[in-house]
Amino acid sequence: DQHSKVESAYREFLSRYEGSKTNPPVLGATGSRLLSGDSSLARTLEAYLASPSVHDREAALIFNSGYDANLSILSSLPYRNENGSDAIIMDELVHNSLVMGVRMSRLDPKNVFLFRHNDVEDMKRVLKNVCQLSKKSTSAIASSGPSVLIVVESVYSMDGDIAPIKRILDSAYEMGATVMIDEAHGLGVFG
């Protein structure tokens, strides 16, 4: 069974340190990396997750939870500067962690817009209005000018609804917006 496989793998891992002057790395959170320090296991896992065999990205970053990830990303990614302010367009049923992340950001609430749940046509309508009214650029988030971030989930946690990701991405690409997809309930399955 799965439990015995995990236990066996852990025992094998610990056996590598028998007779060694080096203690095995601590497994588990034991606190945040900021307070408790980094670990080789966390860095190894992040490198593996970023590798071509998994997500094929430049880097990966592990958070304590999906809630923490959403708060951290959305409270820091959108910005205001002398060139204007970013805008966020969210599905009306996104998880509370996404909503709270946006609330914690420095965005003016008037730059946050909702569209009807899983309604790509309504999303496009809102996106067009935002781009026309605010003269938002088509640049990527965190570049020199303001931009638009569309926030959705791949699988919505409360009802299990599946977002039309391809249509959302195609529409965003066509209109120059960036998309953030919360994959908490669909990672490796739909997203």
Side-chain angles (χ1 to χ4, degrees), residues 11-42:
R11 289 183 191 281
E12 188 277 323
F13 171 77
L14 289 177
S15 72
R16 292 186 223 159
Y17 291 89
E18 280 183 25
S20 169
K21 292 181 181 179
T22 305
N23 290 328
V26 175
L27 296 180
T30 72
S32 72
R33 287 165 91 175
L34 176 64
L35 298 177
S36 300
D38 202 6
S39 76
S40 61
L41 291 176

Side-chain angles (χ1 to χ4, degrees), residues 116-145:
R116 288 189 301 269
H117 178 56
N118 273 351
D119 187 334
V120 176
E121 293 307 312
D122 193 48
M123 180 199 77
K124 288 164 61 173
R125 178 192 61 77
V126 172
L127 181 56
K128 283 178 187 173
N129 288 342
V130 168
C131 290
Q132 289 171 353
L133 293 173
S134 306
K135 296 188 169 113
K136 299 291 177 194
S137 74
T138 58
S139 61
I141 292 286
S143 64
S144 60

Side-chain angles (χ1 to χ4, degrees), residues 59-166:
L61 181 61
I62 299 170
F63 287 88
N64 291 338
S65 69
Y67 200 103
D68 287 338
N70 288 339
L71 286 178
S72 299
I73 291 166
L74 287 172
S75 66
S76 60
L77 191 61
Y79 71 101
R80 289 185 293 203
N81 66 19
E82 66 279 355
N83 296 322
S85 180
D86 290 335
I88 291 184
I89 300 173
M90 300 189 300
D91 185 292
E92 66 184 351
L93 296 184
V94 294
H95 190 268
N96 184 56
S97 60
L98 296 163
V99 173
M100 295 308 294
V102 171
R103 284 186 183 166
M104 291 171 57
S105 75
R106 295 180 296 154
L107 283 186
D108 187 321
K110 71 180 182 189
N111 286 357
V112 179
F113 305 88
L114 300 178
F115 63 91
R116 288 189 301 269
H117 178 56
N118 273 351
D119 187 334
V120 176
E121 293 307 312
D122 193 48
M123 180 199 77
K124 288 164 61 173
R125 178 192 61 77
V126 172
L127 181 56
K128 283 178 187 173
N129 288 342
V130 168
C131 290
Q132 289 171 353
L133 293 173
S134 306
K135 296 188 169 113
K136 299 291 177 194
S137 74
T138 58
S139 61
I141 292 286
S143 64
S144 60
S147 55
V148 178
L149 178 65
I150 299 170
V151 180
V152 297
E153 296 181 50
S154 61
V155 178
Y156 286 81
S157 61
M158 296 305 290
D159 299 323
D161 299 336
I162 299 169
I165 298 294
K166 179 159 179 21

